[in-house]
């Protein structure tokens, strides 16, 4: 199972992060993404500010595989376009969180990002229309629903969350929805089965919920990994295998033997050609031998 949104900030302590990761592993999450929400203006050469992976891996407790993610608040569609490539080089995943109708339309139709993350506990200034939402799903873009937003919200926030989730499921027909936690502490995490049951109450079918925790986030992680390690996102570039010395010697000997055999055949063919005589010359030799025999009889 995957949780592609574990909230992280520079103020998060090592013990808090380790507590969240340990609980996520015990709940059955094999891969999690530490999410850093950036604030505009974005730096020209961003660097992932997360703690070193070796520090977390050195602990005795079992923790999931860790990815690094950046989320960009998006209000102006033209603002982050020239910064996306630099973020791709610094983070494993990049997501946008649109806050206006134009930004949401741009993210669905043209923006090259794998995730559209939404703050569903707030009243949104736009509607989820089927056409742009289905276009985004066809392009491979996924919508992220973070259940911890509902757990931390008040009564009005939960009502907004339920209404927004229902509208999103209706606009996408339940396709392309990824379920994440956006947990800021260990108390906000839930087991995968609890998340599926919770979202099924809010109109997302159980089979779609299981896809949102497994196959869909895995596809996002694999595709983004191929973009970074492959050639044009299609062929993975690997090192060419080296041949053993014995194979190279054997190949060289076979080449020499074939060369000698070809030379011998050529020489043999040349001898046969030199010994062969024409029919006219053979007739002359036959007549000469007959004349010699007649002279001996006389």
């Amino acid at each position: 199972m995957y949780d592609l949104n574990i909230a992280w900030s520079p103020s998060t302590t090592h013990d808090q992060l380790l507590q969240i990761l340990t609980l996520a592993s015990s709940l059955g999450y094999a891969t999690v993404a530490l999410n850093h929400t950036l604030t505009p203006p974005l730096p020209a050469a961003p660097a992932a500010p997360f703690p070193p992976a070796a520090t977390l891996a050195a602990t005795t407790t079992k923790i999931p595989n860790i990815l690094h993610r950046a989320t960009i608040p998006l209000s102006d569609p033209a603002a982050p376009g020239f910064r996306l490539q630099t973020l791709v080089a610094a983070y494993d995943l990049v997501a946008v969180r649109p806050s206006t109708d134009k930004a949401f339309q741009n993210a669905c139709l043209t923006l090259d990002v794998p995730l559209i993350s939404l703050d569903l506990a707030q009243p949104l200034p736009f509607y989820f229309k089927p056409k742009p939402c289905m276009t985004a799903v066809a392009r491979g873009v996924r919508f992220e629903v973070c259940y911890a937003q509902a757990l931390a919200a008040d009564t009005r926030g939960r009502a907004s969350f339920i209404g927004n989730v229902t509208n999103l499921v209706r606009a996408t027909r339940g396709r392309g929805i990824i379920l994440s936690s956006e947990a800021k502490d260990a108390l906000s995490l839930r087991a995968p089965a609890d998340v599926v049951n919770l979202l099924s109450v809010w109109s997302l079918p159980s089979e779609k919920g299981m896809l949102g925790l497994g196959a869909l986030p895995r596809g996002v992680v694999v595709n983004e990994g191929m973009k970074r390690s492959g050639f044009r996102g299609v062929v993975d570039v690997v090192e060419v295998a080296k041949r053993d010395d014995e194979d190279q010697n054997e190949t060289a000997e076979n080449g020499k033997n074939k060369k000698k055999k070809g030379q011998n055949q050529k020489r043999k063919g040349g001898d046969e050609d030199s010994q062969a005589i024409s029919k006219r010359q053979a007739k002359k030799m036959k007549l000469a031998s007959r004349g010699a025999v007649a002279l001996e009889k006389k």
Side-chain angles (χ1 to χ4, degrees):
M1 294 297 175
Y2 290 74
D3 188 350
L4 299 185
N5 193 343
I6 297 293
W8 182 90
S9 66
S11 61
T12 303
T13 64
H14 180 271
D15 294 337
Q16 291 174 345
L17 181 58
L18 187 60
Q19 185 180 11
I20 296 175
L21 295 177
T22 303
L23 180 58
S25 178
S26 64
L27 292 176
Y29 294 100
T31 300
V32 300
L34 300 182
N35 179 32
H36 183 212
T37 301
L38 303 178
T39 55
L42 302 178
F50 300 100
T55 304
L56 297 175
T59 60
T60 57
T61 57
K62 183 179 179 181
I63 61 175
N65 180 36
I66 300 174
L67 302 175
H68 296 160
R69 165 183 161 178
T71 300
I72 310 170
L74 184 60
S75 58
D76 184 4
F82 65 98
R83 300 293 191 193
L84 284 179
Q85 295 302 322
T86 58
L87 290 175
V88 167
Y91 295 88
D92 298 314
L93 299 173
V94 177
V96 294
R97 176 160 289 184
S99 58
T100 62
D101 186 28
K102 290 184 178 180
F104 181 74
Q105 295 285 336
N106 186 51
C108 290
L109 301 179
T110 60
L111 207 58
D112 186 16
V113 290
L115 288 174
I116 297 177
S117 181
L118 300 167
D119 188 1
L120 300 177
Q122 301 293 330
L124 298 176
F126 54 86
Y127 296 99
F128 296 116
K129 300 178 182 179
K131 187 175 181 179
C133 290
M134 293 305 296
T135 301
V137 173
R139 291 176 54 230
V141 181
R142 305 306 180 205
F143 296 96
E144 184 181 48
V145 174
C146 302
Y147 60 85
Q149 296 173 356
L151 300 179
D154 54 10
T155 304
R156 185 175 181 180
R158 291 182 183 179
S160 298
F161 185 90
I162 296 172
N164 290 327
V165 169
T166 303
N167 293 332
L168 180 61
V169 172
R170 182 169 59 248
T172 60
R173 301 176 186 175
R175 302 175 184 175
I177 295 179
I178 287 179
L179 303 181
S180 301
S181 64
E182 202 177 56
K184 298 180 180 180
D185 52 40
L187 297 177
S188 300
L189 284 175
R190 295 293 183 273
D194 295 336
V195 177
V196 173
N197 292 334
L198 184 64
L199 269 295
S200 65
V201 176
W202 297 334
S203 74
L204 184 67
S206 299
E207 62 275 9
K208 301 292 185 182
M210 293 302 297
L211 289 175
L213 289 170
L216 292 181
R218 180 181 181 276
V220 170
V221 173
V222 171
N223 290 337
E224 292 302 303
M226 289 179 62
K227 289 181 181 179
R228 290 160 176 79
S229 63
F231 176 71
R232 295 181 180 178
V234 177
V235 180
D236 194 10
V237 180
V238 296
E239 184 180 0
V240 179
K242 297 181 179 180
R243 302 182 63 181
D244 297 335
D245 295 337
E246 296 181 357
D247 294 340
Q248 294 179 356
N249 296 332
E250 184 178 355
T251 303
E253 292 178 359
N254 292 337
K256 292 180 180 178
N257 294 334
K258 289 182 180 180
K259 186 175 181 181
K260 291 180 180 179
K261 185 176 180 181
Q263 293 176 353
N264 294 333
Q265 290 179 352
K266 185 176 182 180
R267 291 175 181 175
K268 184 177 180 182
D271 295 341
E272 291 178 353
D273 293 340
S274 61
Q275 294 177 1
I277 57 177
S278 62
K279 293 182 179 180
R280 185 176 181 181
Q281 189 176 0
K283 188 175 182 181
K284 288 181 179 181
M285 293 176 65
K286 189 175 182 181
L287 292 175
S289 63
R290 286 179 181 180
V293 172
L295 290 174
E296 290 179 356
K297 289 181 178 181
K298 289 180 179 181

